[in-house]
């Protein structure tokens, strides 16, 4: 027997079989059930030939996991990890090992989905309630949400929250000039399309004049200021309130352990970042922003909010409150387009607070503040006494005149980065990771050669405190037992495990969510995110220290262009909603550049994702809804009529392809041509891009703009509802209108290509996220995925996802009809199971099936979207046939249970579906009054006897939770 060639033994495509769960034998069986000869024939019968790719993606060939990691390590090595004293909202922090290993690197936490199904999300929601409690305690506010995308976008959301909540009628927001520059820039971007003005108060005189005027509705205050100084803002806030305007405070949570809280100053809204609570800088993200507000603002609070309700047994239970999927309900009238959060970083931050407790946090803050005082005193001895202000927490600013550049350059030569401000100042920020040696290093940097350094030990005793006595915090915080119990590593480890055991994540079972794509997040993809070369980089470090990130950015943008057929990509948007927004801003700016600013009408089919109309409204566009036909396709006659009606004002149309109904519409090219004829652009929502990669490219079949969800198609995990990345992709003539980043350009931190192609065009579109690369630290995940899969692997993944969806649709056809399909009966990568007829025959609703699936150990498919009382199922290519069959068996068994209701064996109001999920406590109760046996409730299929997930609570009462809104840690008595 001849030896195999070495190339075969090296198995460059080894990762394909690890990512794609279906084997060749499985595929043959599935194709026979679906009734087609081959996977290729199936795809050809589904994807219209008019849009099929003419050529394959030009990507590097697949490689092994070890090779990909080695290549990425080389790229990471081009970053230079320096000691960062830049501050500006990003600081060094120590991630406690117990949190690093058991949360950030734990698939039980990072593969979980947004907690729409409350009963299987109790663990992550408890962690988020801890987060909300932590924020409200430290800020002194009444209520907080479960995180925002970053500090700058939180400020933008606070601006629009204030606009719709106060009685002041002005159209301006006054912004303190010493706020973080990236926050000011994002505010400018967000304000412009809404017709709002930004008034920058960059001196005491301009501040006084601005708040004395009558033309503003809100004021943004940075506390501490970006350059470090402190003051009590109470009197200024009283003046702002006298004008009927809102006071927004951007506050540092670590500083608030020592400082008078914004709530005690009567702030209305408080925003900021929780980055320094255990999340590495990661070149800008992901980090959990936060927002807290007064009680009177809570009904308009954007983002996710976790509340405490009760379950059917009267026990306390957590659930998403008020805004749950608001975009799908209120659409263009939604208060925000945010459909996600930064849950995983929020969990890390909350666990950091739980682990350290109030005393531990205060000690970290006191140490940082003391080091800052010693640093300043020593610099004064060296002759640098002209500070921007006398007060400070962790940041001091020194006027260095014409020595500014030479000192900054000397710092870099000595391995440190300082922040230059106002040309003649240097800002120095210390943090949790700062040491005595760092302070002495800074003294050496400022002293230059040959000078004697100050005596650290003497200054440790003598240096005066920089926090004014009147600003010292006296109010308690984090008094709940959860923050005062788990301080040993053993206790913390068990608490984290206790919470994760309550949840269903991808590490336990298939999560068949349509439109959300819960595929494998491979371990080899996750490994690089905590490498120091990626994790310990400041987003505004000098560009030559970010060469690895620049190369990562360039390669990933090039590869995404190959996948989508577009000419340019920006990776800055840090969520799909931000990508939508950036794409619409690009379209608007393009029209304005051609003197057609009247083009503001955005056509959106009635079936579209709810974020589409919300994003259009935020971009200053007028939403006009177009109809869909009975098969879920865009009604072409209505589309033509609307294009003709609004021809002179048409900005764009937003479509999802394949459609939200899970079908490849055959007339998509015609649709694009119609819109283009009327001067509009075509926005193709990339939510379903995982059904297109390698098969069809929106940039080739007529799309002008798309956003992608890297956390769907390209394997960044959902993390319980974030982080995400939402790159925006455009055709050639829109490339100059991709998001820019003036802050990055001014600091020299990133090359123009990475900061945004719009740079070369004078920032026609400003920043949409705080950092130039958004959630940069998770970009290695998608890089690894594409590099290991190659063009053939990515195409195979798409085709297998389509095959798996059609297999489920076919296998369940006799039990649950598929609502929408193409003419030949096939679906795209997901299928909508129609349960609407069950209401009349049995009283069973889709929600009942969703809850009963919990008893079978499954997360429910997408419930009642896009059609009420349906389930949208997306299996993904990563599930093997055994898991598909397990899901199919569960759905068939549940249909059998429904027949028991239909034939009268069980009443419509007392059966396994209406009472699901069944908790162990309920099943072990002494009295059992139901007409079905306990055994059936607990073990409806035999396999569950060996592997059973027990829901920690019964069905949650949503109405009770909204009527009795409570969003912080409940009293211990209620949990025992």
């Amino acid at each position: 027997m001849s030896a195999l060639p070495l190339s075969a033994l090296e198995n460059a495509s080894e990762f394909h079989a690890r990512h794609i769960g279906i084997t060749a034998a499985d595929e043959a069986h599935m194709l026979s059930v679906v009734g087609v000869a081959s996977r290729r024939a199936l795809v050809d019968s589904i994807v219209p030939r008019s849009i099929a790719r003419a050529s394959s993606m030009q990507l590097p060939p697949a490689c092994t996991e070890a090779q990909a990691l080695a290549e990425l390590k080389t790229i990471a090595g081009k970053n230079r990890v320096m000691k960062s004293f830049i501050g500006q909202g990003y600081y060094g922090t120590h991630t406690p090992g117990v949190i690093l290993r058991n949360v950030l690197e734990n698939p039980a936490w990072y593969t979980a989905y947004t907690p729409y199904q409350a009963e299987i999300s109790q663990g992550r929601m408890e962690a988020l309630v801890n987060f909300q409690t932590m924020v409200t305690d430290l800020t002194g506010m009444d209520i907080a949400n479960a995180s925002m995308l970053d500090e700058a976008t939180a400020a933008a959301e606070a601006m629009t929250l204030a606009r719709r909540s106060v009685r002041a009628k002005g159209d301006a927001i006054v912004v303190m000039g010493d706020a973080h520059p990236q926050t000011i820039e994002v505010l400018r971007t967000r304000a412009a399309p809404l017709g709002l003005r930004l008034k920058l108060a960059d001196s005491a005189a301009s501040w006084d004049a601005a708040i004395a005027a009558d033309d503003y509705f809100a004021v943004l205050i940075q506390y501490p200021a970006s350059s470090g100084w402190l003051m009590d803002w109470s009197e200024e806030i009283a003046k702002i309130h006298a004008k009927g305007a809102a006071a927004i405070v951007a506050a540092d949570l670590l500083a608030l352990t020592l400082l008078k809280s914004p709530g005690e100053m009567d702030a209305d809204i408080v925003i900021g970042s929780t980055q320094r609570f255990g999340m590495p800088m990661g070149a800008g993200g992901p980090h959990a922003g936060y927002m807290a507000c007064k009680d009177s603002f809570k009904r308009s609070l954007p983002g996710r909010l976790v509340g405490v309700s009760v379950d059917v047994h009267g026990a306390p239970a957590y659930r998403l409150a008020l805004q749950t999927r608001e975009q799908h309900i209120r659409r263009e009238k939604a208060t925000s387009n945010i459909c996600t959060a930064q849950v995983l970083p929020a969990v890390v931050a909350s666990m950091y607070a739980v682990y350290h407790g109030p005393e531990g946090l205060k000690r970290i803050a006191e140490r940082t503040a003391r080091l800052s005082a010693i640093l300043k005193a020593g610099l004064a001895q060296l002759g640098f006494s002209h500070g921007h202000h006398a007060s400070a927490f962790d940041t001091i600013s020194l006027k260095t005149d014409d020595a500014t550049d030479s000192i900054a350059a000397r710092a870099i030569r000595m391995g440190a980065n300082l922040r230059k401000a106002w040309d003649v100042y240097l800002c120095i920020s210390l943090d949790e990771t700062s040491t005595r040696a760092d302070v002495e290093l800074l003294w050496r940097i400022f002293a230059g050669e040959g000078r004697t350094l100050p005596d650290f030990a003497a200054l440790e005793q003598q240096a005066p405190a920089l926090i004014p006595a009147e600003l010292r915090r006296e109010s308690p915080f984090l008094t709940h037992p959860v923050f005062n119990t788990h301080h040993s590593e053993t206790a913390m480890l068990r608490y984290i495990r206790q919470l994760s055991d309550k949840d269903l994540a991808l590490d336990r079972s298939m999560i068949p969510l349509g439109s959300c794509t819960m595929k494998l997040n491979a371990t080899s993809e996750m490994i690089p995110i905590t490498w120091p070369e990626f994790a310990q980089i400041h987003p505004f470090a000098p560009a030559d220290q970010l060469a690895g990130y620049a190369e990562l950015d360039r390669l990933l943008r090039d590869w995404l262009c190959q996948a989508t057929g577009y000419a340019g990509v920006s990776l800055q948007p840090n969520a799909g909603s931000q990508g939508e927004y950036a794409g619409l801003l690009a379209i608007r700016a393009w029209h304005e550049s051609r003197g057609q600013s009247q083009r503001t009408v955005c056509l959106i089919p009635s079936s579209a994702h709810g974020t589409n109309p919300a994003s259009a409204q935020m971009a200053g566009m007028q939403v006009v809804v177009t109809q869909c036909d009975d098969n879920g396709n865009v009604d072409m006659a209505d589309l033509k009529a609307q294009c003709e009606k609004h021809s002179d004002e048409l900005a764009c149309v937003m479509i999802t392809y394949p459609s939200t109904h899970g079908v490849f519409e055959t007339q998509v090219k015609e649709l694009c041509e119609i819109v283009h004829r009327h001067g509009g652009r075509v926005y193709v929502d990339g939510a379903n891009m995982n059904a297109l990669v390698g098969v069809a490219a929106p940039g080739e079949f007529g799309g002008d703009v798309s956003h992608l969800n890297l956390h769907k198609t390209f394997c960044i995990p959902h993390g319980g509802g974030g982080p995400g990345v939402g790159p925006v992709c455009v055709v050639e003539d829109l490339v100059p209108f991709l998001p820019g980043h003036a802050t990055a350009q001014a600091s020299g931190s990133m090359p123009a290509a990475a900061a945004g192609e719009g740079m070369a065009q004078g920032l026609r579109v400003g920043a949409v996220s705080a950092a130039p690369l958004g959630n940069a630290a998770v970009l290695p995940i998608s890089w690894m995925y594409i590099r290991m899969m190659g063009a053939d692997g990515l195409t195979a993944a798409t085709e297998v996802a389509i095959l798996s969806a059609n297999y489920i649709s076919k296998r369940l056809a006799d039990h649950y009809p598929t609502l929408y399909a193409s003419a030949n009966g096939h679906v795209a990568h997901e299928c909508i199971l129609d349960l609407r007829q069950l209401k009349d025959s049995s009283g069973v609703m889709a929600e009942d099936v969703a809850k009963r699936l919990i008893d079978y150990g499954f997360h429910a498919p997408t419930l009642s979207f896009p059609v009420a009382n349906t389930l949208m199922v997306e299996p993904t290519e990563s599930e093997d046939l055994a898991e598909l069959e397990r899901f199919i068996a569960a759905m068939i068994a549940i249909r059998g249970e429904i027949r028991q209701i239909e034939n009268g064996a069980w009443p419509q109001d007392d059966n396994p579906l209406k009472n699901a999920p069944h908790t162990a406590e309920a099943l072990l109760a002494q009295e059992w009054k139901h007409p079905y046996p306990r055994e059936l409730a607990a073990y409806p299929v035999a396999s569950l006897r060996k592997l059973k997930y027990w829901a920690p609570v019964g069905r949650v009462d949503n109405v009770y939770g909204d009527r009795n809104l409570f969003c912080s840690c409940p009293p211990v008595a209620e949990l025992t």
Side-chain angles (χ1 to χ4, degrees), residues 218-246:
V219 175
L220 178 80
I221 298 163
Q222 190 87 44
Y223 177 65
S226 189
S227 64
W229 57 276
L230 300 166
M231 71 171 276
D232 188 334
W233 293 94
S234 300
E235 292 185 7
E236 302 301 298
I237 290 174
K239 296 175 186 176
I240 293 163
H241 286 163
K243 297 291 185 178

CSV table of all heavy atoms in Angstrom, one decimal, residues 218-246:
chain,number,residue,atom,x,y,z
A,218,ALA,N,-30.3,69.9,27.8
A,218,ALA,CA,-29.5,69.0,28.6
A,218,ALA,C,-28.1,69.5,28.7
A,218,ALA,O,-27.6,70.3,27.8
A,218,ALA,CB,-29.5,67.6,28.1
A,219,VAL,N,-27.4,69.1,29.7
A,219,VAL,CA,-26.0,69.4,29.9
A,219,VAL,C,-25.2,68.1,30.2
A,219,VAL,O,-25.7,67.3,31.0
A,219,VAL,CB,-25.8,70.5,31.0
A,219,VAL,CG1,-24.3,70.7,31.3
A,219,VAL,CG2,-26.5,71.8,30.7
A,220,LEU,N,-24.0,68.0,29.6
A,220,LEU,CA,-23.2,66.8,29.9
A,220,LEU,C,-22.0,67.3,30.7
A,220,LEU,O,-21.2,68.2,30.3
A,220,LEU,CB,-22.7,66.1,28.7
A,220,LEU,CG,-21.8,64.9,29.0
A,220,LEU,CD1,-22.6,63.7,29.4
A,220,LEU,CD2,-20.9,64.6,27.8
A,221,ILE,N,-21.8,66.7,31.9
A,221,ILE,CA,-20.7,67.0,32.8
A,221,ILE,C,-19.8,65.7,33.0
A,221,ILE,O,-20.3,64.6,33.2
A,221,ILE,CB,-21.2,67.4,34.2
A,221,ILE,CG1,-22.0,68.7,34.1
A,221,ILE,CG2,-20.1,67.6,35.2
A,221,ILE,CD1,-22.9,69.0,35.3
A,222,GLN,N,-18.5,65.9,32.8
A,222,GLN,CA,-17.6,64.7,33.1
A,222,GLN,C,-17.1,64.8,34.5
A,222,GLN,O,-16.5,65.9,34.9
A,222,GLN,CB,-16.4,64.8,32.1
A,222,GLN,CG,-15.5,63.5,32.1
A,222,GLN,CD,-16.1,62.4,31.2
A,222,GLN,OE1,-16.5,62.7,30.1
A,222,GLN,NE2,-16.1,61.2,31.7
A,223,TYR,N,-17.2,63.7,35.3
A,223,TYR,CA,-16.9,63.7,36.7
A,223,TYR,C,-16.2,62.4,37.1
A,223,TYR,O,-16.8,61.4,37.1
A,223,TYR,CB,-18.2,63.9,37.5
A,223,TYR,CG,-18.1,63.9,39.0
A,223,TYR,CD1,-17.4,64.9,39.7
A,223,TYR,CD2,-18.8,62.9,39.7
A,223,TYR,CE1,-17.4,64.8,41.1
A,223,TYR,CE2,-18.7,62.9,41.1
A,223,TYR,CZ,-18.1,63.8,41.8
A,223,TYR,OH,-18.0,63.8,43.2
A,224,PRO,N,-14.8,62.5,37.4
A,224,PRO,CA,-13.9,63.6,37.3
A,224,PRO,C,-13.8,64.1,35.9
A,224,PRO,O,-14.1,63.3,34.9
A,224,PRO,CB,-12.6,63.1,37.8
A,224,PRO,CG,-13.0,61.9,38.6
A,224,PRO,CD,-14.2,61.3,38.0
A,225,ALA,N,-13.3,65.3,35.7
A,225,ALA,CA,-13.1,65.8,34.3
A,225,ALA,C,-12.0,64.9,33.6
A,225,ALA,O,-11.3,64.2,34.2
A,225,ALA,CB,-12.6,67.2,34.3
A,226,SER,N,-12.1,65.0,32.3
A,226,SER,CA,-11.1,64.1,31.5
A,226,SER,C,-9.7,64.4,31.9
A,226,SER,O,-8.9,63.5,31.9
A,226,SER,CB,-11.3,64.4,30.0
A,226,SER,OG,-10.6,63.5,29.2
A,227,SER,N,-9.4,65.7,32.2
A,227,SER,CA,-8.0,66.0,32.6
A,227,SER,C,-7.8,65.8,34.1
A,227,SER,O,-6.7,66.1,34.6
A,227,SER,CB,-7.7,67.5,32.2
A,227,SER,OG,-8.5,68.4,32.9
A,228,GLY,N,-8.8,65.4,34.8
A,228,GLY,CA,-8.7,64.9,36.2
A,228,GLY,C,-9.3,65.8,37.3
A,228,GLY,O,-9.4,65.3,38.4
A,229,TRP,N,-9.6,67.0,37.1
A,229,TRP,CA,-10.1,67.9,38.2
A,229,TRP,C,-11.5,67.5,38.7
A,229,TRP,O,-12.3,66.9,38.0
A,229,TRP,CB,-10.0,69.3,37.8
A,229,TRP,CG,-10.7,69.8,36.6
A,229,TRP,CD1,-10.3,69.7,35.3
A,229,TRP,CD2,-12.0,70.4,36.6
A,229,TRP,NE1,-11.3,70.2,34.5
A,229,TRP,CE2,-12.3,70.7,35.2
A,229,TRP,CE3,-12.9,70.8,37.6
A,229,TRP,CZ2,-13.5,71.3,34.8
A,229,TRP,CZ3,-14.1,71.4,37.2
A,229,TRP,CH2,-14.4,71.6,35.8
A,230,LEU,N,-11.7,68.0,39.9
A,230,LEU,CA,-13.0,67.6,40.6
A,230,LEU,C,-13.6,68.9,41.1
A,230,LEU,O,-13.0,69.9,41.4
A,230,LEU,CB,-12.7,66.8,41.8
A,230,LEU,CG,-12.0,65.4,41.6
A,230,LEU,CD1,-11.5,64.9,42.9
A,230,LEU,CD2,-12.9,64.4,40.9
A,231,MET,N,-15.0,68.9,41.1
A,231,MET,CA,-15.7,69.9,41.8
A,231,MET,C,-17.1,69.3,42.2
A,231,MET,O,-17.6,68.3,41.6
A,231,MET,CB,-15.8,71.2,41.0
A,231,MET,CG,-16.7,71.1,39.8
A,231,MET,SD,-17.0,72.7,39.1
A,231,MET,CE,-18.3,73.4,40.1
A,232,ASP,N,-17.8,70.0,43.1
A,232,ASP,CA,-19.1,69.7,43.5
A,232,ASP,C,-20.0,70.4,42.5
A,232,ASP,O,-20.1,71.6,42.4
A,232,ASP,CB,-19.4,70.1,44.9
A,232,ASP,CG,-20.8,69.6,45.4
A,232,ASP,OD1,-21.7,69.4,44.6
A,232,ASP,OD2,-20.9,69.5,46.6
A,233,TRP,N,-20.8,69.7,41.7
A,233,TRP,CA,-21.6,70.2,40.7
A,233,TRP,C,-23.1,70.6,41.1
A,233,TRP,O,-23.9,70.9,40.3
A,233,TRP,CB,-21.7,69.3,39.5
A,233,TRP,CG,-20.4,69.1,38.8
A,233,TRP,CD1,-19.4,68.2,39.0
A,233,TRP,CD2,-19.9,70.0,37.8
A,233,TRP,NE1,-18.3,68.4,38.2
A,233,TRP,CE2,-18.6,69.5,37.4
A,233,TRP,CE3,-20.3,71.2,37.1
A,233,TRP,CZ2,-17.8,70.1,36.5
A,233,TRP,CZ3,-19.5,71.8,36.2
A,233,TRP,CH2,-18.3,71.3,35.9
A,234,SER,N,-23.3,70.5,42.4
A,234,SER,CA,-24.7,70.7,42.9
A,234,SER,C,-25.3,72.0,42.5
A,234,SER,O,-26.4,72.1,42.0
A,234,SER,CB,-24.7,70.5,44.4
A,234,SER,OG,-24.2,69.2,44.8
A,235,GLU,N,-24.5,73.1,42.7
A,235,GLU,CA,-25.1,74.4,42.4
A,235,GLU,C,-25.3,74.6,40.9
A,235,GLU,O,-26.3,75.2,40.5
A,235,GLU,CB,-24.1,75.5,43.0
A,235,GLU,CG,-24.1,75.6,44.5
A,235,GLU,CD,-23.2,76.7,45.0
A,235,GLU,OE1,-22.8,77.5,44.1
A,235,GLU,OE2,-23.0,76.8,46.2
A,236,GLU,N,-24.4,74.1,40.1
A,236,GLU,CA,-24.5,74.2,38.7
A,236,GLU,C,-25.7,73.4,38.2
A,236,GLU,O,-26.5,73.8,37.3
A,236,GLU,CB,-23.3,73.7,38.0
A,236,GLU,CG,-22.0,74.4,38.4
A,236,GLU,CD,-22.1,75.9,38.1
A,236,GLU,OE1,-22.3,76.3,36.9
A,236,GLU,OE2,-22.1,76.7,39.0
A,237,ILE,N,-26.0,72.2,38.8
A,237,ILE,CA,-27.1,71.4,38.4
A,237,ILE,C,-28.4,72.1,38.8
A,237,ILE,O,-29.4,72.0,38.1
A,237,ILE,CB,-27.0,70.0,39.0
A,237,ILE,CG1,-25.9,69.2,38.3
A,237,ILE,CG2,-28.3,69.2,38.9
A,237,ILE,CD1,-25.6,67.9,38.9
A,238,ALA,N,-28.4,72.8,39.9
A,238,ALA,CA,-29.6,73.6,40.3
A,238,ALA,C,-29.9,74.6,39.3
A,238,ALA,O,-31.1,74.9,38.9
A,238,ALA,CB,-29.4,74.2,41.7
A,239,LYS,N,-28.9,75.3,38.7
A,239,LYS,CA,-29.1,76.3,37.7
A,239,LYS,C,-29.7,75.6,36.4
A,239,LYS,O,-30.5,76.2,35.7
A,239,LYS,CB,-27.8,77.0,37.3
A,239,LYS,CG,-27.2,77.8,38.5
A,239,LYS,CD,-25.8,78.3,38.1
A,239,LYS,CE,-25.1,79.0,39.3
A,239,LYS,NZ,-23.7,79.5,38.9
A,240,ILE,N,-29.2,74.4,36.1
A,240,ILE,CA,-29.6,73.7,34.9
A,240,ILE,C,-31.1,73.3,35.0
A,240,ILE,O,-31.9,73.5,34.1
A,240,ILE,CB,-28.7,72.5,34.7
A,240,ILE,CG1,-27.3,72.9,34.3
A,240,ILE,CG2,-29.3,71.5,33.6
A,240,ILE,CD1,-26.3,71.8,34.5
A,241,HIS,N,-31.4,72.9,36.2
A,241,HIS,CA,-32.8,72.5,36.5
A,241,HIS,C,-33.8,73.7,36.4
A,241,HIS,O,-34.9,73.6,36.0
A,241,HIS,CB,-32.9,71.8,37.8
A,241,HIS,CG,-32.4,70.4,37.8
A,241,HIS,ND1,-32.1,69.7,39.0
A,241,HIS,CD2,-32.1,69.5,36.8
A,241,HIS,CE1,-31.6,68.5,38.7
A,241,HIS,NE2,-31.7,68.4,37.4
A,242,ALA,N,-33.3,74.8,36.8
A,242,ALA,CA,-34.1,76.0,36.8
A,242,ALA,C,-34.5,76.4,35.3
A,242,ALA,O,-35.5,77.1,35.1
A,242,ALA,CB,-33.3,77.2,37.4
A,243,LYS,N,-33.7,75.9,34.4
A,243,LYS,CA,-34.0,76.1,33.0
A,243,LYS,C,-34.9,75.0,32.4
A,243,LYS,O,-35.2,74.9,31.2
A,243,LYS,CB,-32.7,76.2,32.1
A,243,LYS,CG,-31.8,77.4,32.5
A,243,LYS,CD,-32.4,78.7,32.1
A,243,LYS,CE,-31.5,79.8,32.3
A,243,LYS,NZ,-32.1,81.1,31.9
A,244,GLY,N,-35.3,74.0,33.3
A,244,GLY,CA,-36.1,72.9,32.8
A,244,GLY,C,-35.3,71.9,32.0
A,244,GLY,O,-35.9,71.0,31.3
A,245,ALA,N,-34.0,71.9,32.1
A,245,ALA,CA,-33.1,71.0,31.4
A,245,ALA,C,-32.6,69.9,32.3
A,245,ALA,O,-32.7,69.9,33.5
A,245,ALA,CB,-31.9,71.8,30.8
A,246,ALA,N,-32.0,68.9,31.7
A,246,ALA,CA,-31.5,67.7,32.4
A,246,ALA,C,-30.0,67.8,32.6
A,246,ALA,O,-29.3,68.2,31.7
A,246,ALA,CB,-31.9,66.4,31.6
